[in-house]
Amino acid sequence: YFSDPDSSPGPCGYLLIFLSIVFCITLFPLTPFFLFHVVAQYERAVIFRLGCLREGDAVGPGLVTVLPFVDDIHRVDMRTVSLAVPPQELLTHDSVTVSVDAVVFYRIR
């Protein structure tokens, strides 16, 4: 479950996971609203179980299963985002004013 192969959730972690599963089974008509999350085509979901990264890569797009009270889901936008930098005016050594404009593109992989 965790990013470090030597670490495990321990007995208390396994107890919390078991109690979360029992909670989901006993309250079945209500739990599908908490169990399933839809991740859009341009997003990926990073799931943390008990504060540590769950085994595997980022999941999505599609339907993602998350245990309530144990898992935490963070959505990451994978689209290319453009950021406009306001124009800057510079004065050169020979007293010529130059206007510089820029656009920054970034993308999370």
Side-chain angles (χ1 to χ4, degrees):
Y1 288 110
F2 292 10
S3 57
D4 185 14
D6 296 332
S7 67
S8 66
C12 291
Y14 286 122
L15 178 67
L16 287 173
I17 293 170
F18 175 74
L19 290 175
S20 178
I21 292 171
V22 168
F23 173 77
C24 292
I25 292 171
T26 54
L27 296 176
F28 177 70
L30 298 175
T31 53
F33 297 110
F34 302 109
L35 278 175
F36 302 111
H37 293 271
V38 177
V39 179
Q41 184 72 29
Y42 55 86
E43 290 179 334
R44 298 295 178 266
V46 179
I47 300 175
F48 293 96
R49 176 162 288 166
L50 298 174
C52 295
L53 185 62
R54 201 166 87 175
E55 185 178 289
D57 234 358
V59 293
L63 197 61
V64 177
T65 306
V66 177
L67 286 176
F69 308 117
V70 176
D71 290 344
D72 190 22
I73 186 169
H74 292 276
R75 294 172 190 217
V76 179
D77 193 356
M78 301 297 287
R79 294 180 285 188
T80 302
V81 179
S82 63
L83 194 69
V85 178
Q88 304 285 322
E89 291 196 7
L90 305 171
L91 189 62
T92 61
H93 288 293
D94 54 352
S95 298
V96 176
T97 305
V98 178
S99 179
V100 177
D101 193 13
V103 176
V104 178
F105 295 98
Y106 69 91
R107 181 177 180 190
I108 298 174
R109 291 186 182 225

